[in-house]
Amino acid sequence: MEFIEWYPKGYGVGFKVVSKITEVESEYQKIELYETEGFGKLLVIDGTVQLVEHGERSYHEPLVHPVMLAHPNPKKVLVIGGGDGGTLREVLEHKTVEKAVMVEIDEKVVEISMKYLKIDGGLLERALKGEEPRAELIIGDGVEYMKSHKDHFDVIIVDSTDPVGPAKLLFSEEFYRNAYEALGEKGLYITQAGSVYLFTDELLDAYKNMKKVFDRVYYFSFPVIGYASPWSFLVGVKGDVDFTKIDLDRAKDLNLQYYDPERHETLFQMPKYVRELL
Ligand code: AG3
């Protein structure tokens, strides 16, 4: 048996699977979990690969650590989405963090992740019970949360599904404006922005919308296991923060496998024709 995610133009990313662990139709989307032959568990939402257990760090590390290490002192962090808990787990690796709020719209993703996936090491359950002093987990709509919270976050991380369906609003100019308002005087915003080669138009749209709102916008790409790589990430800056420079001392406390802080400059690599379109 196999699971294949089909991208545009008939490009597929597939895994050999040994069994289907569960399938749930939630209020928002269809969630599937498989056991693969070589990569541990595979989480799929609406037919798209969210992560494989043995490889998820190749996504969560570049999503979380570059912005956290570029911010001089990230204390308050907001995560939108990320129901599997991988992003929150990485955020809490940073000792500077006093409070991390995660807002996930779909409680079923959290339930399945707690019950079967367990890449969070029990963090989601502790956060839901209010037993994790630095983390708060809210089941709710990130778009609404962003409108109503001007809490002056240092870092905002959007770990969403693709810019179609429920996540589409997370790539709009209006959402970026609310995010800009929710950041403090110095702030960094990061979002995953899709496959460089196969979602180039979505990447360009998101980049243009972010440029209208943030003081500066950076793009970078990273090879993610399980996605049609390279995968793109967009960083919006508010105020005086330089995303090209990171704190290497703080990086030493992290246990990293993929993102290489000592080679931070290599993140910014983008195929020439895409860079010229941006
Ligand atoms: N967030 C989903 C990234 C988008 C994947 N898209 C795709 N395969 N077409 C990942 C959730 C992990 N915390």
Side-chain angles (χ1 to χ4, degrees), residues 75-78 96-101 133-136 153:
K75 291 183 183 162
K76 290 179 81 176
V77 179
L78 174 62
T96 55
V97 174
E98 292 170 358
K99 181 78 185 283
V101 181
R134 296 190 298 152
E136 182 184 354
F153 289 101

Side-chain angles (χ1 to χ4, degrees), residues 5 7 48-50 59-60 84 159-160 162 192 227 231:
E5 172 179 354
Y7 283 83
T48 67
V49 172
Q50 299 302 298
Y59 170 80
H60 290 123
D84 51 82
D159 180 10
S160 69
D162 294 339
Q192 72 91 0
Y227 301 174
W231 206 253

Side-chain angles (χ1 to χ4, degrees), residues 64-78:
V64 172
H65 300 304
V67 283
M68 292 297 286
L69 294 172
H71 192 284
N73 189 16
K75 291 183 183 162
K76 290 179 81 176
V77 179
L78 174 62

Side-chain angles (χ1 to χ4, degrees), residues 37-133:
E37 271 186 29
F39 289 84
K41 296 188 176 65
L42 160 67
L43 177 66
V44 175
I45 293 183
D46 283 343
T48 67
V49 172
Q50 299 302 298
L51 61 84
V52 281
E53 197 180 347
H54 304 146
E56 48 92 5
R57 287 175 190 271
S58 66
Y59 170 80
H60 290 123
E61 289 185 9
L63 179 68
V64 172
H65 300 304
V67 283
M68 292 297 286
L69 294 172
H71 192 284
N73 189 16
K75 291 183 183 162
K76 290 179 81 176
V77 179
L78 174 62
V79 176
I80 303 285
D84 51 82
T87 297
L88 188 63
R89 177 195 71 205
E90 295 301 319
V91 166
L92 293 175
E93 286 293 309
H94 292 259
K95 297 195 187 92
T96 55
V97 174
E98 292 170 358
K99 181 78 185 283
V101 181
M102 168 176 154
V103 185
E104 163 62 54
I105 198 164
D106 195 342
E107 63 178 340
K108 292 283 180 229
V109 177
V110 175
E111 272 171 34
I112 290 171
S113 302
M114 289 191 316
K115 189 162 172 200
Y116 304 103
L117 195 57
K118 300 189 168 113
I119 63 160
D120 63 316
L123 173 62
L124 293 169
E125 193 174 341
R126 292 197 299 278
L128 274 180
K129 287 184 177 156
E131 289 169 2
E132 187 66 43

